[in-house]
Amino acid sequence: MSHTAVTVTPSTRTKAIVLVSGGLDSATTLAIANHQGYDLYALSFQYGQRHAVELEFAGKVIKAQAGVIEHRIATIDLGLFGGSALTDLDIHVPKNQEIGTIGHIPITYVPARNTVFLSYALAYAEVIGAHDIFIGVNAVDYSGYPDCRPAFIEAFQTLANLATKAGVEQSNFHIHAPLIQKTKSEIIQLGLQLGVNYANTLSCYDPLPDGIACGTCDSCTLRLQGFNDAGISDPALYHHHHHHHHLT
């Protein structure tokens, strides 16, 4: 399944590449890009991640979103190098951590991941004549990932305009990171306004094979806290039914 073409007639709207993982942030980013009037070309990655079941959720997110012309899934092998709990099954995903207490870059950081993802998006953009790439990175609520910072996004945009024929000839690639300064709660509230169904999303780093979230990894904890802060119940399915998962 290298790509599934969605049979939609392309319109005259401006094209944008949107990175879609199947998670909450990318589903919201996809809705934002649609709301801004772009024709959406969705790009997902089978990169050797332990939570590859997320790609089934990416498919659901894309089916539910108006404005998507095409969805491609790139198969790459970051597991070749490992170095992350997400790509090396011998490294355990941390559980039950207190959010905000982690001062170092977490073991769930995947070396160079967003650089690789954006490079693929850049190739896709150049081929279809798009100048806009959307990525759902977020620098506010805990992660500590270096490739989620504004400075990285700006640097990649500079690179995009140096590295490509389209960039040299027109120099107008834009990397959009609309969630970069938003809290998880703000992201959820915005997504709900834009009609995102978060039941279609999976944020967990270590889900069960059927896509039920663990409820205790950093990503689950952050997501659940975001829904709690927003005063909304998370529609996703969780394995550990702790009291804080559902509002009382």
Side-chain angles (χ1 to χ4, degrees), residues 43-82:
L43 179 59
S44 304
F45 295 89
Q46 171 78 264
Y47 63 92
Q49 69 270 47
R50 76 163 68 215
H51 55 304
V53 65
E54 70 171 357
L55 293 172
E56 293 172 24
F57 288 83
K60 293 183 204 176
V61 164
I62 284 155
K63 280 194 182 69
Q65 178 60 63
V68 179
I69 304 298
E70 186 171 74
H71 179 207
R72 294 192 181 234
I73 297 175
T75 301
I76 59 182
D77 188 12
L78 292 177
L80 179 67
F81 312 118

Side-chain angles (χ1 to χ4, degrees), residues 90-108:
D90 292 330
I91 302 175
H92 294 290
V93 172
K95 301 292 174 84
N96 296 303
Q97 296 202 102
E98 197 62 40
I99 290 299
T101 59
I102 303 104
H104 55 87
I105 295 171
I107 194 64
T108 49

Side-chain angles (χ1 to χ4, degrees), residues 7 24 63 70 72 80 97-98 105-106 112 117 123-124 131 153 161 166-167 169 173 177 180 198 210 214:
T7 52
L24 180 154
K63 280 194 182 69
E70 186 171 74
R72 294 192 181 234
L80 179 67
Q97 296 202 102
E98 197 62 40
I105 295 171
F117 287 2
Y124 191 8
H131 298 120
I153 298 299
N161 286 307
E169 290 175 352
F173 279 107
I180 204 158
Y198 288 116
D210 53 4
C214 77

Side-chain angles (χ1 to χ4, degrees), residues 17 19 43 45 74-76 115-125 133 156:
I17 310 299
L19 297 183
L43 179 59
F45 295 89
T75 301
I76 59 182
T115 304
V116 172
F117 287 2
L118 284 171
S119 299
Y120 269 70
L122 184 56
Y124 191 8
I133 295 169
F156 197 94

